[in-house]
C-alpha cells in the first residue's frame, strides 16, 4: 500500500518552533487510507494532571434528561471499508444496562457546574512547560512565553483547496479561546445555552461528571448506545450514506475545509437535538461534536481481547498510540461538524478517535452515563 508521511504538527502548529518543512524531519508513517479517515485530532499540550481534585458531587444525582439503555450483547468494531485497523477485529461484547444523557452536555448545564464549584477549565490555564516537555522529543526548546498562555484551538476554514495532511492550515492556537469563548476571544455564548459545551478537555469532562454524580461512558457503552438497537449497521440511523436523503446529522457538507454548503442547515455547531434521535432515543450520536469516553486509547486493544466475549469492558490499562507513542491519549467517539467522507468518516458508530486528555477543541464535547 502506498504510504504518505504525516507531519507531526504538534510542534509547528502549537509551539511555533519550526516550519512545516523543518518539522517533516519528525514524522510518523500513516497510510493514505488512514489519513482519509482522519487518524487524529491536533493535541493541545499533553499533561498528566487531574483537574477534578477538590470537586465534590452536588448531591443525589437524577436521571432527568437521561435514557435507560437496556443491557445486551453486540458486535463491536468496524462495519465497512472505511474502517481503520484499530476498529478490528470485530468482537462480541456483553453490557449491563445503564443510563445515558439524551444529548451532549450543554453550555447551560456546564455553566451551572462552574458557578457551583468555581471550576477553571484546562484552556483557561497557562500550559505547564515542565509537564509539556515530558511528551515532546528530547531537546525540544522551550517555546516563547507569548505562546504559553491560556488558549485553545479554533477552526478557521481555508480560502480554497489545501494539503489535507497539514491541519495547521485550518486549526489556530488562539489566546483567550475557551468554553465561554469557543470561537476565540471575540466570541461568546450569547444565544447558545442549548448548544453543546466545547473547548473542554477530558479532565474538564471528568470534573463535571464527578460533580453531577455521573461518569463518562466507556467506548463499549458509547458504541452500543450509538447503534440504536440496530445490528452491524454503519451509522446510528442505518446504512444510508450521510449525504443521501434528509439531513441526519451535523457534518461538513461540501468540500472540506473551505466550502460548507450547509445542506444540514449548520456551518459549525448545532443546538443539541437538532436531528432525529436514534433507536435508543439519543440525539447527536453522529456529528456535531466529538465526545470524550472514559477509556485510554490503545490501537491494539481489540486484538488483545482475543476470541472470547468481553463483559463490561473498561478499556486498556494504559495508552498506546503508535503515531505519537510519547503522548498518552484518551478515546473519543461520534465525529463532529467538521467530518466529511473525503476527510473524516467520524460519524460511523465504530469510528475511534483519540487525543491527549488536556486537549480542548471547538468541536469536542461529551455526555455522561450512570
Amino acid at each position: 500500500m502506498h504510504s504518505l508521511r504525516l507531519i507531526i504538527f504538534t510542534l509547528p502548529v502549537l509551539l511555533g518552533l519550526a516550519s512545516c518543512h523543518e518539522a517533516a524531519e519528525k514524522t510518523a508513517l500513516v497510510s493514505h487510507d488512514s489519513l482519509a479517515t482522519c487518524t487524529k485530532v491536533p493535541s493541545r499540550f499533553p499533561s498528566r494532571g487531574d483537574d477534578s481534585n477538590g470537586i465534590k458531587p452536588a448531591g443525589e444525582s437524577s436521571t432527568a434528561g437521561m435514557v435507560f439503555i437496556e443491557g445486551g450483547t453486540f458486535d463491536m468494531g468496524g462495519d465497512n471499508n472505511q474502517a481503520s485497523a484499530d476498529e478490528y477485529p470485530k468482537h462480541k461484547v456483553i453490557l449491563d444496562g445503564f443510563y445515558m444523557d439524551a444529548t451532549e452536555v450543554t453550555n447551560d448545564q456546564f455553566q451551572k457546574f462552574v458557578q457551583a464549584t468555581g471550576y477553571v477549565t484546562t484552556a483557561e490555564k497557562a500550559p505547564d512547560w515542565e509537564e509539556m516537555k515530558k511528551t515532546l522529543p528530547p531537546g525540544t526548546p522551550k517555546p516563547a512565553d507569548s505562546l504559553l498562555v491560556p488558549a485553545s484551538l479554533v477552526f478557521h476554514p481555508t480560502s480554497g483547496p489545501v494539503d489535507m495532511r497539514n491541519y495547521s492550515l485550518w486549526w489556530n492556537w488562539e489566546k483567550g479561546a475557551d468554553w465561554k469563548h469557543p470561537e476565540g476571544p471575540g466570541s461568546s455564548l450569547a444565544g447558545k445555552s442549548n448548544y453543546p459545551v466545547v473547548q473542554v478537555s477530558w479532565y474538564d469532562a471528568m470534573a463535571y461528571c464527578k460533580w453531577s454524580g455521573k461518569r463518562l461512558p466507556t467506548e463499549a457503552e458509547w458504541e452500543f448506545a450509538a447503534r440504536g438497537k440496530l445490528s452491524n449497521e454503519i451509522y446510528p440511523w442505518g446504512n444510508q450514506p450521510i449525504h443521501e436523503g434528509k439531513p441526519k446529522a451535523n457534518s461538513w457538507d461540501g468540500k472540506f475545509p473551505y466550502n460548507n454548503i450547509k445542506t444540514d442547515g449548520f456551518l459549525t455547531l448545532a443546538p443539541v437535538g437538532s436531528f432525529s434521535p436514534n433507536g435508543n432515543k439519543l440525539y447527536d450520536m453522529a456529528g456535531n461534536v466529538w465526545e470524550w469516553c472514559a477509556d485510554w486509547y490503545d490501537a491494539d486493544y481489540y486484538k488483545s481481547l482475543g476470541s472470547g466475549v468481553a463483559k463490561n469492558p473498561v478499556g486498556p490499562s494504559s495508552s498506546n498510540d503508535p503515531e505519537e507513542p510519547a503522548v498518552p491519549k484518551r478515546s473519543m467517539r461520534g465525529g463532529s461538524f467538521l467530518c466529511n467522507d473525503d476527510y473524516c468518516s467520524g460519524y460511523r458508530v465504530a469510528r475511534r478517535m483519540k487525543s491527549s486528555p488536556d486537549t480542548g477543541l471547538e468541536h469536542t464535547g461529551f455526555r455522561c452515563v450512570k
Side-chain angles (χ1 to χ4, degrees):
M1 179 181 290
H2 175 66
S3 65
L4 298 171
R5 287 186 177 272
L6 176 64
I7 297 172
I8 297 179
F9 288 111
T10 305
L11 299 182
V13 179
L14 305 186
L15 306 185
L17 300 178
S19 67
C20 291
H21 173 73
E22 293 168 330
E25 297 302 318
K26 304 180 179 72
T27 58
L29 286 172
V30 296
S31 71
H32 177 74
D33 292 342
S34 295
L35 182 63
T37 53
C38 190
T39 58
K40 62 183 179 180
V41 296
S43 297
R44 185 182 185 267
F45 291 106
S47 170
R48 293 183 174 85
D50 181 356
D51 293 342
S52 66
N53 289 336
I55 297 297
K56 297 180 179 180
E60 186 68 25
S61 65
S62 167
T63 56
M66 305 186 84
V67 174
F68 185 71
I69 310 297
E70 295 282 352
T73 303
F74 78 110
D75 294 324
M76 185 174 182
D79 291 310
N80 72 347
N81 59 11
Q82 290 177 308
S84 298
D86 66 355
E87 297 174 45
Y88 288 108
K90 204 170 181 70
H91 54 286
K92 293 282 186 186
V93 172
I94 299 175
L95 291 176
D96 295 333
F98 57 95
Y99 285 92
M100 177 175 260
D101 288 344
T103 71
E104 297 142 345
V105 173
T106 65
N107 287 318
D108 182 60
Q109 291 171 318
F110 197 79
Q111 185 172 39
K112 290 176 181 176
F113 155 65
V114 170
Q115 290 174 340
T117 63
Y119 182 81
V120 179
T121 63
T122 303
E124 296 172 276
K125 302 174 184 177
D128 184 339
W129 169 244
E130 294 303 315
E131 284 295 321
M132 181 175 70
K133 69 182 182 182
K134 294 176 183 177
T135 55
L136 294 173
T140 299
K142 183 179 178 180
D145 289 341
S146 61
L147 291 171
L148 295 176
V149 295
S152 199
L153 291 162
V154 176
F155 170 74
H156 289 279
T158 62
S159 59
V162 294
D163 183 350
M164 298 300 286
R165 293 168 294 173
N166 185 353
Y167 52 70
S168 69
L169 297 174
W170 57 88
W171 284 110
N172 287 351
W173 174 249
E174 294 193 14
K175 178 181 179 180
D178 54 43
W179 75 274
K180 292 177 289 188
H181 310 93
E183 298 174 13
S187 62
S188 74
L189 300 183
K192 295 183 177 180
S193 62
N194 199 40
Y195 281 61
V197 65
V198 294
Q199 299 289 13
V200 285
S201 70
W202 184 86
Y203 300 124
D204 300 335
M206 288 286 285
Y208 175 92
C209 289
K210 185 175 181 179
W211 173 78
S212 64
K214 304 175 185 179
R215 60 179 174 83
L216 287 176
T218 64
E219 275 200 86
E221 288 172 334
W222 195 99
E223 184 172 324
F224 180 62
R227 288 183 177 276
K229 301 179 182 178
L230 299 177
S231 177
N232 297 313
E233 305 287 278
I234 300 172
Y235 309 105
W237 54 84
N239 287 328
Q240 185 181 47
I242 192 169
H243 296 305
E244 291 184 9
K246 69 177 184 178
K248 294 175 280 293
N250 181 18
S251 63
W252 189 275
D253 305 304
K255 298 295 184 179
F256 184 83
Y258 62 95
N259 182 28
N260 188 341
I261 60 176
K262 298 191 293 184
T263 303
D264 56 29
F266 301 97
L267 180 63
T268 56
L269 288 172
V272 300
S274 293
F275 300 87
S276 297
N278 71 357
N280 282 325
K281 299 182 180 179
L282 299 170
Y283 294 88
D284 304 310
M285 296 300 283
N288 215 21
V289 297
W290 285 103
E291 299 180 13
W292 287 112
C293 290
D295 310 35
W296 286 111
Y297 171 80
D298 182 345
D300 299 323
Y301 178 60
Y302 292 4
K303 298 181 181 67
S304 73
L305 296 175
S307 58
V309 178
K311 171 75 171 177
N312 295 320
V314 295
S317 59
S318 61
S319 173
N320 169 33
D321 181 8
E323 292 178 358
E324 291 182 305
V327 183
K329 303 284 181 70
R330 294 286 181 172
S331 296
M332 310 165 84
R333 290 300 196 108
S336 78
F337 67 83
L338 295 180
C339 285
N340 177 285
D341 273 346
D342 290 338
Y343 174 67
C344 172
S345 62
Y347 29 67
R348 293 184 297 103
V349 289
R351 184 70 179 111
R352 305 179 71 199
M353 184 55 68
K354 73 279 188 178
S355 191
S356 57
D358 76 339
T359 293
L361 294 153
E362 191 183 338
H363 68 342
T364 303
F366 68 102
R367 74 179 72 212
C368 308
V369 300
K370 66 171 297 182

